[in-house]
């Protein structure tokens, strides 16, 4: 049995998928739109049907992680994808990943505090993480010299596919490994 969904909810979900320009997890859609997972699934189904009916160049795909993405048809992607794929192919070095983990779990944190934990200089790594917008300057610590404090960004959450820092695994999970 098909559920009737408010047209504005369907449009909101469609707009969100368009604006995100990449895979979007159903939890994130629910958080942003305030809709239930069932409503989101039904809205996605309606959008898919409408796109197929009008023979649109757009399709909605779902990956194995439960993410939805509004994208172009595979045939058109073969012709245009390389030219118009604006997403950065970001690879993170082990050093940057370690630094990012320290920031994520200890934020706000200064460069000196990170270097004390890692045992090496991190100035270059911090610059790279800032350029990729995975971290940001959150302020200055209220101590002599007023060093810069670092924290993670929304791009960090999106890159790792989590909704909030509370979704990070606990430190105790790593200690058991």
């Amino acid at each position: 049995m098909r559920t009737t969904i408010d047209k504005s909810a369907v449009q909101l979900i469609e707009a969100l998928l368009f604006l995100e320009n990449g895979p979007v997890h159903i939890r994130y859609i629910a958080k942003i739109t305030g809709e239930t997972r069932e409503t989101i699934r039904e809205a996605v189904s309606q959008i898919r049907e409408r796109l197929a009916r009008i023979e649109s160049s757009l399709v909605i795909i779902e990956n194995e992680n439960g993410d939805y993405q509004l994208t172009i048809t595979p045939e058109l992607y073969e012709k245009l994808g390389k030219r118009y794929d604006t997403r950065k192919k970001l690879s993170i070095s082990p050093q940057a990943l370690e630094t990012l983990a320290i920031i994520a779990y200890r934020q706000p944190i200064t460069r000196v505090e990170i270097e004390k934990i890692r045992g090496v200089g991190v100035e270059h790594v911090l610059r790279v993480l800032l350029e990729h917008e995975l971290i940001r300057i959150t302020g200055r610590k209220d101590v002599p010299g007023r060093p810069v404090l670092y924290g993670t960004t929304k791009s960090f959450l999106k890159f790792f596919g989590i909704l909030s820092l509370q979704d990070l695994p606990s430190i105790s999970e790593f200690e058991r490994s």
Side-chain angles (χ1 to χ4, degrees):
M1 185 173 105
R2 188 154 189 127
T3 311
T4 304
I5 298 177
D6 182 32
K7 180 181 172 183
S8 63
V10 175
Q11 290 174 332
L12 179 62
I13 292 166
E14 183 177 35
L16 176 66
L17 292 174
F18 173 78
L19 292 172
E20 285 295 325
N21 193 26
V24 186
H25 197 278
I26 194 167
R27 287 184 313 212
Y28 182 77
I29 298 170
K31 181 179 177 185
I32 298 299
T33 64
E35 299 294 341
T36 66
R37 290 178 184 217
E38 186 56 40
T39 299
I40 293 165
R41 287 186 191 97
E42 182 58 33
V44 167
S45 177
Q46 288 181 23
I47 296 165
R48 277 187 176 132
E49 289 174 12
R50 182 171 31 95
L51 292 173
R53 194 172 48 251
I54 64 171
E55 298 180 20
S56 174
S57 59
L58 301 174
V59 292
I60 294 180
I61 57 172
E62 182 177 3
N63 67 19
E64 64 278 356
N65 297 327
D67 300 327
Y68 294 108
Q69 182 175 356
L70 182 64
T71 188
I72 58 175
T73 61
E75 302 81 35
L76 290 174
Y77 190 82
E78 286 178 26
K79 294 178 182 177
L80 302 170
K82 289 179 186 155
R83 180 172 174 89
Y84 290 98
D85 191 355
T86 58
R87 293 171 290 177
K88 294 178 184 172
K89 303 296 185 218
L90 180 59
S91 70
I92 298 179
S93 70
Q95 298 83 1
L97 194 55
E98 183 178 325
T99 302
L100 193 54
I102 292 167
I103 294 168
Y105 283 97
R106 299 276 179 100
Q107 64 185 305
I109 188 169
T110 67
R111 178 183 54 82
V112 172
E113 292 167 332
I114 297 167
E115 289 174 346
K116 187 175 179 182
I117 295 168
R118 287 208 56 224
V120 296
V122 295
E123 195 168 325
H124 173 72
V125 172
L126 290 173
R127 193 172 27 254
V128 169
L129 294 172
L130 283 165
E131 286 173 8
H132 290 298
E133 299 178 348
L134 294 172
I135 64 170
R136 66 185 177 90
I137 296 172
T138 61
R140 293 193 172 268
K141 192 166 186 172
D142 195 17
V143 297
R146 308 229 342 113
V148 169
L149 290 166
Y150 296 96
T152 56
T153 64
K154 288 182 181 178
S155 295
F156 164 84
L157 298 174
K158 193 170 180 181
F159 182 80
F160 287 99
I162 57 177
L163 296 176
S164 72
L165 293 173
Q166 286 73 35
D167 294 334
L168 287 171
S170 69
I171 297 289
S172 62
E173 289 181 45
F174 293 114
E175 292 171 346
R176 282 185 260 138
S177 301

